[in-house]
Amino acid sequence: QVQLVESGGGLVQPGGSVKLSCAASGFALDVYHIGWFRQASGKEREGVSCIRRGSGHTVYADNVKGRFTISRDNANNTVYLQMRSLKPEDTAAYYCAAGLDSSCLFSGGMDYWGKGTLVTVSS
């Protein structure tokens, strides 16, 4: 069965860092575009970052550019999101997703989703 499992979330202070993992089973991650999305309490889900299949090119939302880095480890079939200089507004449930749609920050183009991991940025 195709499955995506996120991990690495937790409580972090403003200005701190955390690295999220998205482990895939049932398919190879490099066959799909992989995106990270987040949804804060009372807010709509938004695309954060994605890494494209084949080329490995990366895309970031404007509000995380320079702070977040997405990467892929094909040997472990895992995609990561390294988050730095975290702000309280980064607090959200973070989800990874896989799809063939090249507009990889668009949640509607994703076919498979993980259940999410919660990141809380607070003092």
Side-chain angles (χ1 to χ4, degrees), residues 8-20 66-69 81-87 90 119-121:
L11 178 64
V12 61
Q13 292 188 347
S17 299
V18 68
K19 189 174 185 177
L20 305 182
R67 299 190 297 121
F68 291 10
T69 303
L81 184 68
Q82 177 68 61
M83 303 190 293
R84 303 177 298 275
S85 301
L86 285 164
K87 305 173 181 179
D90 294 318
V119 175
T120 301
V121 184

Side-chain angles (χ1 to χ4, degrees), residues 29-94:
L29 281 177
D30 60 3
V31 175
Y32 292 84
H33 308 293
I34 307 298
W36 283 96
F37 300 81
R38 68 185 183 186
Q39 186 166 19
S41 179
K43 304 292 185 179
E44 295 184 352
R45 183 171 57 188
E46 62 177 343
V48 176
S49 181
C50 71
I51 185 165
R52 300 192 182 279
R53 65 177 182 175
S55 68
H57 290 173
T58 58
V59 180
Y60 298 92
D62 288 341
N63 56 2
V64 305
K65 286 181 179 178
R67 299 190 297 121
F68 291 10
T69 303
I70 190 170
S71 61
R72 181 174 61 208
D73 182 347
N74 290 331
N76 290 311
N77 215 31
T78 302
V79 169
Y80 303 95
L81 184 68
Q82 177 68 61
M83 303 190 293
R84 303 177 298 275
S85 301
L86 285 164
K87 305 173 181 179
E89 52 263 42
D90 294 318
T91 296
Y94 284 74

